Coordinates of all heavy atoms in Angstrom, one line a residue:
C1 N 8.8 6.7 8.6 CA 8.5 6.9 10.0 C 9.7 6.9 10.9 O 9.6 7.1 12.1 CB 7.5 5.8 10.5 SG 6.0 5.9 9.7
M2 N 10.9 6.6 10.3 CA 12.1 6.5 11.1 C 12.6 7.8 11.6 O 13.1 8.0 12.7 CB 13.2 5.8 10.3 CG 13.2 4.3 10.2 SD 14.5 3.7 9.2 CE 16.0 4.3 10.1
N3 N 12.5 8.8 10.7 CA 13.1 10.1 11.0 C 12.1 11.2 11.0 O 11.9 11.8 10.1 CB 14.2 10.4 10.0 CG 15.0 11.5 10.3 OD1 15.0 12.1 11.4 ND2 15.9 12.0 9.4
H4 N 11.4 11.5 11.9 CA 10.3 12.4 12.1 C 10.3 13.6 11.1 O 10.0 14.7 11.5 CB 10.3 12.9 13.5 CG 10.4 11.8 14.5 ND1 9.3 11.0 14.7 CD2 11.4 11.3 15.3 CE1 9.6 10.1 15.6 NE2 10.8 10.3 16.0
I5 N 10.6 13.3 9.8 CA 10.4 14.4 8.8 C 9.0 14.5 8.5 O 8.5 15.7 8.4 CB 11.2 14.0 7.5 CG1 12.7 14.0 7.8 CG2 10.9 14.9 6.4 CD1 13.3 15.3 8.2
L6 N 8.3 13.4 8.3 CA 6.8 13.5 8.0 C 6.0 13.5 9.3 O 6.5 12.9 10.3 CB 6.5 12.3 7.1 CG 7.2 12.3 5.7 CD1 6.9 10.9 5.0 CD2 6.7 13.4 4.9
P7 N 4.9 14.1 9.3 CA 4.1 14.2 10.5 C 3.5 12.9 10.9 O 3.5 11.9 10.2 CB 3.0 15.3 10.2 CG 2.9 15.2 8.7 CD 4.2 14.8 8.2
A8 N 2.9 12.9 12.1 CA 2.3 11.6 12.6 C 1.1 11.2 11.8 O 0.8 10.0 11.7 CB 1.9 11.8 14.0
S9 N 0.5 12.1 11.1 CA -0.7 11.8 10.3 C -0.3 10.9 9.2 O -1.1 10.0 8.7 CB -1.4 13.0 9.8 OG -0.5 13.8 9.0
Y10 N 0.9 11.0 8.7 CA 1.4 10.1 7.6 C 1.4 8.7 8.1 O 0.9 7.8 7.4 CB 2.8 10.6 7.1 CG 3.4 9.7 6.1 CD1 3.1 9.7 4.8 CD2 4.4 8.7 6.5 CE1 3.7 8.9 3.9 CE2 5.0 7.9 5.6 CZ 4.6 7.9 4.3 OH 5.2 7.1 3.4
A11 N 2.1 8.5 9.2 CA 2.1 7.2 9.8 C 0.8 6.6 10.2 O 0.5 5.4 9.9 CB 3.1 7.2 11.0
W12 N -0.1 7.4 10.8 CA -1.4 6.9 11.2 C -2.2 6.5 10.0 O -2.9 5.5 10.0 CB -2.1 8.0 12.1 CG -1.7 7.9 13.5 CD1 -0.9 8.8 14.1 CD2 -2.1 7.0 14.5 NE1 -0.7 8.5 15.4 CE2 -1.4 7.4 15.7 CE3 -2.9 5.9 14.5 CZ2 -1.6 6.7 16.8 CZ3 -3.1 5.2 15.6 CH2 -2.4 5.6 16.8
G13 N -2.2 7.3 9.0 CA -2.9 7.0 7.8 C -2.5 5.7 7.1 O -3.3 4.9 6.7
N14 N -1.2 5.6 6.9 CA -0.7 4.3 6.3 C -0.8 3.1 7.2 O -1.2 2.0 6.6 CB 0.8 4.6 5.9 CG 0.9 5.4 4.7 OD1 0.3 5.2 3.7 ND2 1.7 6.4 4.7
F15 N -0.6 3.2 8.5 CA -0.8 2.1 9.3 C -2.3 1.6 9.4 O -2.6 0.5 9.5 CB -0.2 2.3 10.7 CG 1.3 2.3 10.7 CD1 2.0 3.2 11.4 CD2 2.0 1.4 9.8 CE1 3.4 3.2 11.4 CE2 3.4 1.4 9.8 CZ 4.1 2.3 10.6
S16 N -3.2 2.6 9.4 CA -4.6 2.2 9.5 C -5.1 1.5 8.2 O -5.9 0.6 8.2 CB -5.6 3.4 9.8 OG -5.0 4.6 9.5
V17 N -4.5 2.0 7.1 CA -4.9 1.3 5.8 C -4.2 -0.1 5.8 O -4.8 -1.0 5.3 CB -4.4 2.2 4.6 CG1 -4.5 1.4 3.3 CG2 -5.3 3.4 4.5
L18 N -3.1 -0.2 6.4 CA -2.5 -1.6 6.5 C -3.3 -2.5 7.3 O -3.5 -3.6 7.0 CB -1.1 -1.4 7.1 CG -0.3 -2.7 7.3 CD1 0.0 -3.4 6.0 CD2 0.9 -2.5 8.1
A19 N -3.9 -1.9 8.4 CA -4.8 -2.8 9.3 C -6.0 -3.2 8.5 O -6.5 -4.3 8.6 CB -5.1 -2.0 10.6
V20 N -6.6 -2.3 7.8 CA -7.8 -2.6 7.0 C -7.4 -3.6 5.9 O -8.2 -4.5 5.6 CB -8.4 -1.4 6.4 CG1 -9.5 -1.7 5.4 CG2 -9.0 -0.4 7.5
G21 N -6.2 -3.5 5.4 CA -5.8 -4.5 4.4 C -5.6 -5.9 4.9 O -6.0 -6.9 4.3
I22 N -5.1 -6.0 6.1 CA -5.0 -7.3 6.8 C -6.4 -7.8 7.0 O -6.6 -9.0 6.8 CB -4.2 -7.2 8.1 CG1 -2.7 -6.8 7.7 CG2 -4.3 -8.4 8.9 CD1 -1.9 -6.5 8.9
W23 N -7.3 -7.0 7.5 CA -8.7 -7.5 7.7 C -9.3 -7.9 6.4 O -10.0 -8.9 6.3 CB -9.5 -6.3 8.3 CG -10.9 -6.6 8.4 CD1 -11.6 -7.6 8.9 CD2 -12.0 -5.7 7.9 NE1 -12.9 -7.5 8.8 CE2 -13.2 -6.3 8.2 CE3 -12.0 -4.5 7.3 CZ2 -14.4 -5.7 7.9 CZ3 -13.2 -3.9 6.9 CH2 -14.4 -4.5 7.2
A24 N -9.0 -7.2 5.3 CA -9.6 -7.6 4.0 C -9.1 -8.9 3.5 O -9.8 -9.7 2.8 CB -9.3 -6.5 3.0
I25 N -7.8 -9.2 3.8 CA -7.2 -10.4 3.3 C -7.7 -11.6 4.1 O -7.9 -12.7 3.6 CB -5.7 -10.3 3.3 CG1 -5.2 -9.4 2.2 CG2 -5.0 -11.7 3.1 CD1 -3.8 -9.0 2.2
V26 N -7.8 -11.4 5.4 CA -8.3 -12.5 6.3 C -9.7 -12.8 6.1 O -10.1 -14.0 6.1 CB -8.0 -12.1 7.8 CG1 -8.7 -13.0 8.7 CG2 -6.6 -12.0 8.1
Q27 N -10.6 -11.9 5.9 CA -12.0 -12.2 5.7 C -12.3 -12.3 4.1 O -12.5 -11.3 3.5 CB -12.9 -11.1 6.3 CG -13.3 -11.3 7.6 CD -14.5 -10.5 8.0 OE1 -14.6 -9.4 7.7 NE2 -15.3 -11.1 8.8
R28 N -12.2 -13.4 3.7 CA -12.3 -13.7 2.2 C -13.7 -13.5 1.7 O -13.9 -13.2 0.5 CB -11.8 -15.1 1.9 CG -10.4 -15.3 2.2 CD -9.8 -16.3 1.2 NE -8.4 -16.3 1.2 CZ -7.6 -15.6 0.4 NH1 -8.1 -14.9 -0.5 NH2 -6.3 -15.7 0.5
D29 N -14.7 -13.5 2.5 CA -16.1 -13.4 2.0 C -16.6 -12.0 2.1 O -17.7 -11.7 1.6 CB -17.0 -14.4 2.8 CG -17.0 -14.1 4.3 OD1 -16.1 -13.4 4.8 OD2 -18.0 -14.5 5.0
S30 N -15.9 -11.1 2.6 CA -16.4 -9.7 2.8 C -16.0 -8.8 1.6 O -14.8 -8.6 1.4 CB -15.8 -9.1 4.1 OG -16.2 -7.8 4.2
L31 N -16.9 -8.3 0.9 CA -16.7 -7.4 -0.2 C -16.5 -6.0 0.3 O -15.7 -5.2 -0.3 CB -17.9 -7.5 -1.2 CG -17.7 -6.9 -2.5 CD1 -16.6 -7.7 -3.3 CD2 -18.9 -6.9 -3.3
D32 N -17.1 -5.7 1.5 CA -16.9 -4.4 2.1 C -15.5 -4.1 2.5 O -15.0 -3.0 2.4 CB -17.9 -4.2 3.2 CG -19.4 -4.2 2.8 OD1 -19.6 -3.8 1.7 OD2 -20.2 -4.5 3.7
A33 N -14.8 -5.1 3.0 CA -13.5 -4.9 3.5 C -12.6 -4.6 2.3 O -11.7 -3.7 2.4 CB -13.0 -6.2 4.1
I34 N -12.8 -5.2 1.2 CA -12.0 -4.9 0.0 C -12.2 -3.5 -0.5 O -11.3 -2.8 -0.9 CB -12.2 -6.0 -1.1 CG1 -11.7 -7.3 -0.8 CG2 -11.6 -5.5 -2.4 CD1 -10.1 -7.3 -0.7
V35 N -13.5 -3.1 -0.5 CA -13.8 -1.7 -1.0 C -13.2 -0.7 0.0 O -12.7 0.3 -0.5 CB -15.4 -1.6 -1.0 CG1 -15.7 -0.1 -1.3 CG2 -15.9 -2.5 -2.1
M36 N -13.3 -1.0 1.3 CA -12.6 0.0 2.2 C -11.1 0.0 2.0 O -10.5 1.1 2.1 CB -13.0 -0.4 3.6 CG -14.4 -0.1 4.1 SD -14.8 -0.6 5.7 CE -13.6 0.2 6.7
F37 N -10.5 -1.1 1.8 CA -9.1 -1.2 1.6 C -8.7 -0.4 0.3 O -7.7 0.4 0.3 CB -8.6 -2.6 1.5 CG -7.1 -2.8 1.4 CD1 -6.2 -2.0 2.1 CD2 -6.6 -3.7 0.5 CE1 -4.9 -2.2 2.0 CE2 -5.2 -3.9 0.5 CZ -4.4 -3.1 1.2
L38 N -9.4 -0.6 -0.8 CA -9.1 0.1 -2.0 C -9.4 1.6 -1.9 O -8.5 2.4 -2.3 CB -10.0 -0.5 -3.2 CG -9.8 0.1 -4.5 CD1 -8.3 -0.2 -5.0 CD2 -10.7 -0.6 -5.5
T39 N -10.4 2.0 -1.2 CA -10.6 3.4 -1.0 C -9.6 4.0 -0.1 O -9.1 5.1 -0.4 CB -12.0 3.6 -0.3 OG1 -13.0 3.0 -1.1 CG2 -12.3 5.1 -0.1
G40 N -9.1 3.3 0.9 CA -8.0 3.8 1.8 C -6.7 3.9 1.0 O -6.0 4.9 1.2
L41 N -6.4 2.9 0.2 CA -5.2 3.0 -0.7 C -5.3 4.3 -1.6 O -4.2 5.0 -1.7 CB -5.0 1.8 -1.5 CG -4.3 0.6 -0.9 CD1 -4.4 -0.6 -1.8 CD2 -2.9 0.9 -0.5
L42 N -6.4 4.5 -2.2 CA -6.5 5.6 -3.1 C -6.4 6.9 -2.3 O -5.7 7.9 -2.8 CB -7.8 5.6 -3.9 CG -7.9 4.4 -4.9 CD1 -9.3 4.3 -5.5 CD2 -6.9 4.6 -6.0
L43 N -6.9 7.0 -1.1 CA -6.8 8.2 -0.3 C -5.4 8.4 0.2 O -4.9 9.5 0.2 CB -7.8 8.1 0.9 CG -9.2 8.6 0.7 CD1 -10.0 8.3 1.9 CD2 -9.3 10.0 0.3
T44 N -4.7 7.4 0.5 CA -3.3 7.5 1.0 C -2.4 7.9 -0.2 O -1.4 8.5 0.1 CB -2.8 6.3 1.7 OG1 -2.9 5.2 0.8 CG2 -3.5 6.0 3.0
V45 N -2.7 7.6 -1.4 CA -1.9 8.1 -2.5 C -2.0 9.6 -2.5 O -0.9 10.3 -2.7 CB -2.4 7.4 -3.9 CG1 -1.8 8.2 -5.0 CG2 -2.1 6.0 -3.9
L46 N -3.2 10.1 -2.4 CA -3.3 11.6 -2.4 C -2.7 12.2 -1.2 O -1.9 13.2 -1.4 CB -4.8 11.9 -2.5 CG -5.2 13.4 -2.5 CD1 -4.7 14.1 -3.8 CD2 -6.6 13.6 -2.3
T47 N -2.9 11.7 -0.1 CA -2.3 12.3 1.1 C -0.8 12.1 1.2 O -0.1 13.0 1.7 CB -3.0 11.7 2.4 OG1 -2.8 10.3 2.5 CG2 -4.5 12.1 2.5
D48 N -0.3 11.0 0.7 CA 1.2 10.9 0.6 C 1.8 11.9 -0.3 O 2.9 12.4 0.1 CB 1.6 9.4 0.2 CG 1.3 8.4 1.2 OD1 0.9 8.8 2.3 OD2 1.5 7.2 0.9
I49 N 1.2 12.2 -1.4 CA 1.7 13.2 -2.3 C 1.8 14.6 -1.6 O 2.7 15.3 -1.7 CB 0.9 13.3 -3.6 CG1 1.1 12.0 -4.4 CG2 1.3 14.5 -4.4 CD1 0.2 11.9 -5.6
I50 N 0.7 14.9 -0.9 CA 0.6 16.1 -0.1 C 1.6 16.2 1.0 O 2.4 17.2 1.1 CB -0.8 16.4 0.4 CG1 -1.8 16.6 -0.8 CG2 -0.9 17.6 1.4 CD1 -3.2 16.6 -0.4
H51 N 1.7 15.1 1.7 CA 2.7 15.1 2.9 C 4.2 15.2 2.4 O 5.0 16.0 2.9 CB 2.6 13.8 3.7 CG 1.5 13.8 4.7 ND1 0.4 12.9 4.6 CD2 1.3 14.5 5.8 CE1 -0.4 13.2 5.6 NE2 0.1 14.1 6.3
I52 N 4.5 14.5 1.3 CA 5.9 14.5 0.8 C 6.2 15.9 0.3 O 7.3 16.4 0.5 CB 6.1 13.4 -0.1 CG1 6.1 12.0 0.6 CG2 7.5 13.5 -0.8 CD1 6.1 10.8 -0.3
S53 N 5.3 16.4 -0.5 CA 5.6 17.7 -1.1 C 5.6 18.9 -0.1 O 6.4 19.8 -0.3 CB 4.5 18.0 -2.2 OG 3.2 18.1 -1.6
V54 N 4.8 18.8 0.9 CA 4.8 19.9 1.9 C 5.9 19.8 2.9 O 6.6 20.8 3.2 CB 3.4 19.9 2.6 CG1 3.5 20.9 3.8 CG2 2.3 20.4 1.7
F55 N 6.2 18.6 3.3 CA 7.2 18.4 4.4 C 8.6 17.9 3.9 O 9.4 17.6 4.8 CB 6.7 17.4 5.4 CG 5.5 17.9 6.1 CD1 4.2 17.4 5.8 CD2 5.6 18.8 7.2 CE1 3.1 17.9 6.5 CE2 4.5 19.3 7.8 CZ 3.2 18.9 7.5
Y56 N 8.8 17.9 2.6 CA 10.2 17.5 2.2 C 11.2 18.6 2.6 O 11.0 19.8 2.4 CB 10.2 17.4 0.6 CG 11.5 16.8 0.1 CD1 11.7 15.5 0.1 CD2 12.5 17.6 -0.4 CE1 12.8 14.9 -0.4 CE2 13.7 17.1 -0.8 CZ 13.8 15.7 -0.8 OH 15.0 15.2 -1.3
P57 N 12.3 18.2 3.2 CA 13.3 19.1 3.7 C 13.9 19.9 2.6 O 14.3 19.3 1.6 CB 14.3 18.3 4.5 CG 14.0 16.9 4.2 CD 12.7 16.8 3.5
A58 N 14.1 21.2 2.8 CA 14.7 22.1 1.8 C 16.2 22.2 1.9 O 16.8 23.0 1.2 CB 14.0 23.4 1.8
H59 N 16.8 21.5 2.8 CA 18.3 21.6 3.0 C 19.0 20.9 2.0 O 18.6 19.8 1.4 CB 18.6 21.0 4.4 CG 17.8 21.6 5.5 ND1 17.9 22.9 5.9 CD2 16.9 21.1 6.3 CE1 17.1 23.1 6.9 NE2 16.4 22.0 7.2
D60 N 20.2 21.4 1.6 CA 21.0 20.7 0.6 C 21.8 19.6 1.3 O 22.1 18.6 0.6 CB 22.1 21.7 0.1 CG 21.4 22.7 -0.8 OD1 20.3 22.4 -1.3 OD2 22.0 23.8 -1.0
H61 N 22.1 19.7 2.6 CA 22.8 18.6 3.3 C 21.9 17.8 4.2 O 21.7 18.2 5.3 CB 24.0 19.3 4.1 CG 24.9 20.1 3.3 ND1 25.7 19.6 2.4 CD2 25.0 21.5 3.3 CE1 26.4 20.6 1.8 NE2 26.0 21.8 2.3
L62 N 21.4 16.8 3.6 CA 20.5 15.9 4.4 C 21.2 14.8 5.0 O 22.1 14.2 4.3 CB 19.3 15.4 3.5 CG 18.4 16.4 2.9 CD1 17.4 15.7 1.9 CD2 17.7 17.1 3.9
G63 N 20.9 14.4 6.1 CA 21.5 13.2 6.8 C 21.1 11.9 6.1 O 20.1 11.8 5.3
D64 N 21.8 10.9 6.3 CA 21.5 9.6 5.7 C 20.2 9.0 6.1 O 19.5 8.5 5.3 CB 22.6 8.5 6.1 CG 24.0 8.9 5.5 OD1 24.0 9.6 4.5 OD2 25.0 8.4 6.1
T65 N 19.8 9.2 7.4 CA 18.5 8.7 7.8 C 17.4 9.4 7.2 O 16.4 8.9 6.8 CB 18.5 8.8 9.4 OG1 19.6 8.2 9.9 CG2 17.2 8.1 9.9
T66 N 17.6 10.7 7.0 CA 16.5 11.5 6.4 C 16.3 11.1 4.9 O 15.2 11.0 4.5 CB 16.9 13.1 6.5 OG1 17.1 13.4 7.9 CG2 15.8 13.9 5.9
R67 N 17.5 11.0 4.2 CA 17.4 10.6 2.8 C 16.7 9.2 2.7 O 15.9 9.0 1.8 CB 18.7 10.6 2.2 CG 19.2 12.0 1.7 CD 20.4 12.0 0.9 NE 21.5 11.5 1.8 CZ 22.6 10.9 1.4 NH1 22.7 10.7 0.1 NH2 23.5 10.5 2.2
F68 N 17.1 8.3 3.6 CA 16.5 7.0 3.5 C 15.0 7.0 3.8 O 14.3 6.3 3.1 CB 17.2 6.0 4.5 CG 16.7 4.7 4.5 CD1 17.0 3.8 3.5 CD2 15.8 4.2 5.5 CE1 16.5 2.5 3.5 CE2 15.3 3.0 5.6 CZ 15.6 2.1 4.6
S69 N 14.6 7.8 4.8 CA 13.2 7.8 5.2 C 12.4 8.4 4.1 O 11.3 7.9 3.7 CB 13.0 8.7 6.4 OG 13.7 8.0 7.5
V70 N 12.8 9.5 3.5 CA 12.1 10.1 2.4 C 12.1 9.2 1.2 O 11.1 9.1 0.5 CB 12.7 11.5 2.1 CG1 12.0 12.1 0.8 CG2 12.5 12.5 3.2
G71 N 13.2 8.6 0.9 CA 13.3 7.6 -0.2 C 12.3 6.5 -0.1 O 11.7 6.1 -1.0
M72 N 12.2 5.9 1.1 CA 11.2 4.8 1.4 C 9.8 5.3 1.2 O 8.9 4.6 0.8 CB 11.5 4.2 2.7 CG 12.7 3.3 2.8 SD 12.6 1.9 1.7 CE 13.8 2.3 0.5
A73 N 9.5 6.6 1.6 CA 8.2 7.1 1.5 C 7.9 7.3 0.0 O 6.7 7.0 -0.4 CB 8.1 8.5 2.2
I74 N 8.8 7.8 -0.8 CA 8.6 7.9 -2.2 C 8.4 6.5 -2.8 O 7.6 6.3 -3.7 CB 9.7 8.7 -2.8 CG1 9.6 10.2 -2.3 CG2 9.6 8.7 -4.3 CD1 10.8 11.0 -2.7
F75 N 9.2 5.6 -2.4 CA 9.1 4.2 -3.0 C 7.8 3.6 -2.7 O 7.2 3.0 -3.5 CB 10.3 3.4 -2.4 CG 10.3 2.0 -3.0 CD1 10.6 1.8 -4.4 CD2 10.1 0.9 -2.2 CE1 10.7 0.5 -4.9 CE2 10.2 -0.4 -2.7 CZ 10.4 -0.6 -4.1
S76 N 7.3 3.8 -1.4 CA 6.0 3.3 -1.0 C 4.9 4.0 -1.9 O 3.9 3.3 -2.3 CB 5.8 3.6 0.4 OG 4.4 3.4 0.8
L77 N 5.1 5.3 -2.2 CA 4.1 6.0 -3.0 C 4.1 5.4 -4.4 O 3.0 5.3 -5.0 CB 4.4 7.5 -3.0 CG 3.5 8.4 -3.9 CD1 2.1 8.3 -3.4 CD2 4.0 9.8 -3.8
L78 N 5.3 5.1 -5.0 CA 5.3 4.6 -6.3 C 4.7 3.2 -6.4 O 4.2 2.8 -7.5 CB 6.8 4.6 -6.8 CG 7.4 5.9 -7.0 CD1 8.9 5.7 -7.3 CD2 6.7 6.6 -8.1
L79 N 4.8 2.4 -5.4 CA 4.2 1.0 -5.4 C 2.7 1.0 -5.1 O 2.1 0.0 -5.4 CB 4.9 0.2 -4.4 CG 6.3 -0.3 -4.7 CD1 6.9 -1.1 -3.6 CD2 6.4 -1.0 -6.0
K80 N 2.1 2.1 -4.7 CA 0.7 2.0 -4.3 C -0.2 1.9 -5.5 O -1.2 1.2 -5.4 CB 0.3 3.3 -3.5 CG 0.7 3.1 -2.0 CD 0.2 4.2 -1.2 CE 0.7 4.0 0.2 NZ 0.3 5.0 1.1
P81 N 0.1 2.5 -6.7 CA -0.8 2.2 -7.9 C -0.9 0.7 -8.2 O -1.9 0.1 -8.6 CB -0.2 3.0 -9.0 CG 0.5 4.1 -8.3 CD 1.0 3.5 -7.1
L82 N 0.3 0.0 -8.1 CA 0.3 -1.5 -8.4 C -0.5 -2.2 -7.3 O -1.3 -3.1 -7.6 CB 1.8 -2.0 -8.3 CG 1.9 -3.5 -8.5 CD1 1.5 -3.9 -9.8 CD2 3.4 -3.9 -8.2
A83 N -0.4 -1.8 -6.0 CA -1.2 -2.3 -5.0 C -2.7 -2.1 -5.2 O -3.6 -3.0 -5.1 CB -0.8 -1.8 -3.6
C84 N -3.1 -0.9 -5.7 CA -4.5 -0.6 -6.0 C -5.0 -1.5 -7.2 O -6.1 -2.0 -7.1 CB -4.6 0.9 -6.4 SG -4.4 2.0 -5.1
Y85 N -4.1 -1.7 -8.2 CA -4.5 -2.6 -9.3 C -4.8 -4.0 -8.8 O -5.8 -4.7 -9.1 CB -3.5 -2.6 -10.4 CG -3.8 -3.6 -11.5 CD1 -4.8 -3.4 -12.3 CD2 -3.0 -4.7 -11.6 CE1 -5.0 -4.4 -13.3 CE2 -3.2 -5.7 -12.5 CZ -4.2 -5.5 -13.4 OH -4.5 -6.4 -14.4
L86 N -3.9 -4.5 -7.9 CA -4.0 -5.9 -7.4 C -5.2 -6.0 -6.5 O -5.9 -7.0 -6.5 CB -2.7 -6.3 -6.7 CG -1.5 -6.4 -7.6 CD1 -0.3 -6.7 -6.7 CD2 -1.7 -7.5 -8.6
V87 N -5.5 -5.0 -5.7 CA -6.7 -5.1 -4.8 C -7.9 -5.0 -5.7 O -8.9 -5.7 -5.3 CB -6.6 -3.9 -3.8 CG1 -7.9 -3.8 -3.0 CG2 -5.5 -4.2 -2.8
Y88 N -7.9 -4.2 -6.7 CA -9.1 -4.2 -7.6 C -9.3 -5.5 -8.3 O -10.5 -5.9 -8.4 CB -8.9 -3.1 -8.7 CG -10.0 -3.0 -9.7 CD1 -11.2 -2.5 -9.3 CD2 -9.9 -3.5 -11.0 CE1 -12.3 -2.4 -10.1 CE2 -11.0 -3.4 -11.9 CZ -12.2 -2.9 -11.4 OH -13.2 -2.8 -12.3
R89 N -8.3 -6.2 -8.7 CA -8.5 -7.6 -9.2 C -9.0 -8.5 -8.2 O -9.9 -9.3 -8.5 CB -7.1 -8.1 -9.7 CG -6.7 -7.5 -11.1 CD -5.5 -8.1 -11.7 NE -5.7 -9.6 -11.7 CZ -4.7 -10.4 -11.9 NH1 -3.5 -10.0 -12.0 NH2 -5.0 -11.7 -12.0
M90 N -8.6 -8.4 -6.9 CA -9.1 -9.2 -5.8 C -10.6 -8.8 -5.7 O -11.4 -9.7 -5.4 CB -8.4 -8.9 -4.5 CG -8.6 -9.9 -3.5 SD -7.8 -9.5 -1.9 CE -6.1 -9.4 -2.5
Y91 N -11.0 -7.6 -5.8 CA -12.4 -7.2 -5.7 C -13.2 -7.8 -6.8 O -14.3 -8.3 -6.5 CB -12.4 -5.6 -5.8 CG -13.8 -5.0 -5.9 CD1 -14.7 -5.0 -4.9 CD2 -14.2 -4.5 -7.2 CE1 -15.9 -4.4 -5.0 CE2 -15.4 -3.9 -7.3 CZ -16.3 -3.9 -6.3 OH -17.5 -3.3 -6.4
R92 N -12.7 -7.8 -8.0 CA -13.4 -8.5 -9.1 C -13.6 -10.0 -8.9 O -14.6 -10.5 -9.2 CB -12.7 -8.1 -10.4 CG -12.6 -6.7 -10.8 CD -13.9 -6.2 -11.2 NE -14.3 -6.9 -12.4 CZ -15.3 -6.5 -13.2 NH1 -16.0 -5.4 -12.9 NH2 -15.7 -7.2 -14.3
E93 N -12.5 -10.6 -8.3 CA -12.6 -12.0 -8.1 C -13.6 -12.4 -7.0 O -14.2 -13.5 -7.1 CB -11.3 -12.6 -7.7 CG -10.2 -12.6 -8.7 CD -8.9 -13.0 -8.2 OE1 -8.7 -13.2 -7.0 OE2 -7.9 -13.0 -9.0
R94 N -13.9 -11.5 -6.1 CA -14.8 -11.8 -5.0 C -16.3 -11.4 -5.4 O -17.2 -11.5 -4.6 CB -14.5 -11.0 -3.8 CG -13.2 -11.5 -3.1 CD -13.0 -10.8 -1.8 NE -11.7 -11.2 -1.3 CZ -11.3 -10.9 -0.1 NH1 -12.0 -10.1 0.6 NH2 -10.1 -11.3 0.3
G95 N -16.5 -11.0 -6.7 CA -17.8 -10.7 -7.1 C -18.2 -9.3 -7.3 O -19.4 -8.9 -7.4
G96 N -17.2 -8.4 -7.2 CA -17.6 -6.9 -7.3 C -17.8 -6.6 -8.8 O -17.4 -7.3 -9.7
E97 N -18.6 -5.5 -9.0 CA -18.9 -5.1 -10.4 C -18.1 -3.9 -10.8 O -17.8 -3.1 -10.1 CB -20.4 -4.8 -10.4 CG -21.3 -6.0 -10.1 CD -22.7 -5.6 -10.2 OE1 -23.1 -4.5 -10.6 OE2 -23.6 -6.4 -9.8

């Protein structure tokens, strides 16, 4: 989000899933919050792949801020499957089937 390479929908999608995640962690008795968080994470994996592949700059000479921003977006995308696994384990601990 530092360097306006990716559109605003990338930031809005990830920040809204973050807000649902905070809600899911705070409300320990709610199974629906965990399901919504897991669904949001899975959806953002797909939309992040689309955003990065469509809006990746085609220039050979990228600035430092651009490379850092895209690198952090890719790093976030690589960590999301681990987050999905951990949220799924939390879902199972709360009584999900």
Side-chain angles (χ1 to χ4, degrees):
C1 295
M2 277 179 64
N3 190 9
H4 307 286
I5 294 297
L6 298 172
S9 60
Y10 174 80
W12 279 103
N14 283 309
F15 288 141
S16 21
V17 168
L18 178 66
V20 172
I22 292 170
W23 171 52
I25 291 171
V26 169
Q27 269 199 323
R28 294 211 169 263
D29 59 340
S30 175
L31 197 62
D32 293 335
I34 290 291
V35 171
M36 285 178 60
F37 184 42
L38 184 59
T39 305
L41 274 175
L42 292 172
L43 275 172
T44 57
V45 168
L46 179 65
T47 58
D48 287 358
I49 291 170
I50 293 170
H51 278 116
I52 293 171
S53 62
V54 170
F55 293 103
Y56 189 81
H59 308 291
D60 291 336
H61 305 290
L62 298 176
D64 292 337
T65 310
T66 304
R67 280 189 293 154
F68 179 77
S69 297
V70 173
M72 286 295 110
I74 293 171
F75 185 64
S76 170
L77 177 62
L78 291 175
L79 287 180
K80 280 187 183 178
L82 176 65
C84 288
Y85 173 72
L86 294 174
V87 170
Y88 179 72
R89 284 190 51 200
M90 193 184 308
Y91 169 74
R92 297 289 295 194
E93 288 173 2
R94 291 187 186 184
E97 297 179 6

